[in-house]
Amino acid sequence: MSLIGLLPSLLYGQIYKHLRRLTIPIGLIITGPGIGIIATAGTLTMTWIGIVISGFGLPIVMPAIFGKVAEVQPEGSSNLSSALMLVGINVAVFLSPQVLAVTTQIIGQTSNKATMLVSTVMLFVLGAIQLVMATTKKQPIKNRSEMKS
């Protein structure tokens, strides 16, 4: 998946140039089916197809999130914002298996397949929420000094 992710990573600037506010939701919505295909794959070919799809969606989400934070951070706080983002990512990576385990237990399914299907649903829901936010929320003001005028 990392090797496949090189292409969208290299093309991120062009992808963002065309998608702008839709980069995060589309990245999440692309990743969802890929994880779902991996979860339900009965053949190696289907697993590879799922990996390719996920490998194209996920690498555009993280840089877009960092970019979004850079747009809204207070002036002069880029180091603090980046540090907090990295801490948040590490906490999320640590907690995500526990959250998925609890979620699958709640629905009564604890298999690996169920965990991946729950991940698929969560990616779709998160992508849908992001899509609604991206299409209904006003653009942030890039230069805070413009607010004073």
Side-chain angles (χ1 to χ4, degrees):
M1 193 179 295
S2 295
L3 287 174
I4 292 167
L6 285 174
L7 182 62
S9 295
L10 291 172
L11 298 174
Y12 174 75
Q14 290 299 314
I15 292 169
Y16 182 78
K17 183 179 177 182
H18 293 296
L19 298 178
R20 299 264 179 214
R21 297 173 81 180
L22 300 176
T23 306
I24 294 171
I26 288 175
L28 292 169
I29 291 169
I30 289 172
T31 304
I35 300 295
I37 290 169
I38 294 168
T40 58
T43 65
L44 187 58
T45 303
M46 286 305 294
T47 302
W48 274 102
I49 291 170
I51 288 170
V52 168
I53 292 170
S54 296
F56 272 94
L58 201 54
I60 65 172
V61 173
M62 291 314 295
I65 291 172
F66 273 93
K68 183 64 71 180
V69 169
E71 286 178 10
V72 299
Q73 70 190 7
E75 197 171 309
S77 67
S78 61
N79 289 338
L80 177 61
S81 297
S82 295
L84 289 173
M85 281 289 299
L86 290 173
V87 169
I89 290 167
N90 287 325
V91 169
V93 167
F94 173 75
L95 291 177
S96 62
Q98 287 81 9
V99 170
L100 286 169
V102 168
T103 305
T104 54
Q105 284 178 346
I106 289 171
I107 64 171
Q109 302 290 323
T110 57
S111 68
N112 291 336
K113 181 178 179 178
T115 302
M116 292 184 77
L117 290 173
V118 167
S119 296
T120 300
V121 171
M122 287 180 170
L123 285 165
F124 274 125
V125 169
L126 189 56
I129 291 169
Q130 287 293 310
L131 186 61
V132 168
M133 289 174 58
T135 56
T136 60
K137 193 173 180 181
K138 290 181 180 178
Q139 277 284 52
I141 299 171
K142 293 190 181 196
N143 186 351
R144 301 220 181 269
S145 63
E146 293 174 11
M147 291 174 54
K148 296 175 185 174
S149 316

